[in-house]
Amino acid sequence: TKSPFRLAAAMAAAAPVIAVLLSPALAGSERRAWDFGRFLSTAATFNSPVDAVGRALSRVDRPPLRPGDLVWAPERPSGCVFAPLDDVVMGGCSESSLTLTPQSLLWTGTLTTANNGGFTGIRTKTFTTPLDASRCQGIALRVRADGFRYKCILRDSSDWNGVAWTASFNTRRGAEQVVKLPFSSFVPTKFAQTVTTDPLRLSSLLAIQLSLSKFEYDGDLNPTFKEGPFSLELKEITTF
């Protein structure tokens, strides 16, 4: 496994090139100064050597999840530590932040396609112990959002750029709703391109991620995408 420092250096060197390769439709987009400091902060958040050692030393058995179990809530995070993961990691300029309250996790920010960007997200740090959801049919998100179409992503590998199992969902502006996502609806992707791989390992879920992106899959565009501010309030994640 690469050290966090080598990983950060590799990501930094590749970011501007990857951004152009992945977003040919945006090749003529506005150019802005890249926030390298924010990039390094993001890389350190998700690739801290302290966290890696902690995961190795703190791994404990966790009972399998059953339908109706709580995966995350503000008062019971259950090892889910969310942090922003925006397109700055690939040279972009979109930016978001998180505010934790007793009732919810408020995710807000601004989307821009400058520097061939166009996505923002939040992702948990890799779980100390994988979640075993093999006895469940899917996960449910209780949210209040802004009418945009978002993605929920599950990861069954600790590989940073491994397969992102993705399901898109619509939101109703200003309305609290429960979004039920069957595991069968998650498709394997890498950089918004579908890929062929082994089935999702429901007994070994290692991270959960939400994303708001210009792209759906295989070059298709998000029909609700709009540059500017966005807001999603996450209240609860459960199984069903």
Side-chain angles (χ1 to χ4, degrees):
T1 303
K2 290 183 179 180
S3 75
F5 307 105
R6 291 178 60 193
L7 178 61
M11 289 171 65
V17 175
I18 293 174
V20 173
L21 291 176
L22 291 177
S23 307
L26 299 177
S29 68
E30 176 188 356
R31 302 301 301 175
R32 299 182 190 173
W34 184 37
D35 190 343
F36 186 65
R38 187 157 60 91
F39 163 80
L40 288 179
S41 176
T42 301
T45 296
F46 288 101
N47 297 284
S48 163
V50 174
D51 287 346
V53 171
R55 287 195 298 271
L57 297 178
S58 304
R59 189 181 178 97
V60 296
D61 290 334
R62 185 189 300 218
L65 294 168
R66 297 181 180 275
D69 279 355
L70 182 69
V71 177
W72 176 91
E75 72 280 7
R76 287 179 56 193
S78 304
C80 297
V81 180
F82 285 96
L85 181 61
D86 303 323
D87 59 17
V88 69
V89 299
M90 300 176 72
C93 297
S94 300
E95 187 169 4
S96 69
S97 62
L98 291 171
T99 303
L100 182 64
T101 73
Q103 293 78 36
S104 66
L105 185 66
L106 179 61
W107 173 34
T108 59
T110 303
L111 271 169
T112 175
T113 58
N115 293 12
N116 296 326
F119 75 85
T120 184
I122 56 174
R123 178 171 169 170
T124 62
K125 294 184 178 183
T126 303
F127 300 144
T128 300
T129 302
L131 298 179
D132 181 354
S134 58
R135 303 183 184 187
C136 305
Q137 295 183 348
I139 63 169
L141 312 174
R142 187 155 62 93
V143 300
R144 184 190 304 273
D146 46 19
F148 288 131
R149 182 171 172 84
Y150 289 81
K151 294 178 179 179
C152 177
I153 299 169
L154 303 176
R155 294 185 180 268
D156 61 359
S157 166
S158 58
D159 181 357
W160 177 250
N161 283 325
V163 173
W165 288 88
T166 308
S168 297
F169 63 94
N170 296 315
T171 62
R172 298 191 299 271
R173 185 176 180 84
E176 183 172 314
Q177 62 188 112
V178 176
V179 179
K180 299 185 74 172
L181 300 171
F183 291 130
S184 60
S185 68
F186 286 79
V187 296
T189 69
K190 281 192 173 185
F191 303 112
Q193 302 291 315
T194 56
V195 297
T196 301
T197 187
D198 294 331
L200 172 61
R201 294 185 300 160
L202 292 174
S203 62
S204 184
L205 300 181
L206 287 166
I208 300 173
Q209 186 173 346
L210 298 179
S211 176
L212 177 57
S213 172
K214 179 180 176 71
F215 292 98
E216 278 282 291
Y217 311 101
D218 300 326
D220 290 339
L221 301 179
N222 179 346
T224 71
F225 181 84
K226 181 181 179 181
E227 292 190 72
F230 71 91
S231 174
L232 182 144
E233 193 175 4
L234 178 63
K235 294 176 175 286
E236 188 178 72
I237 304 175
T238 58
T239 57
F240 65 87

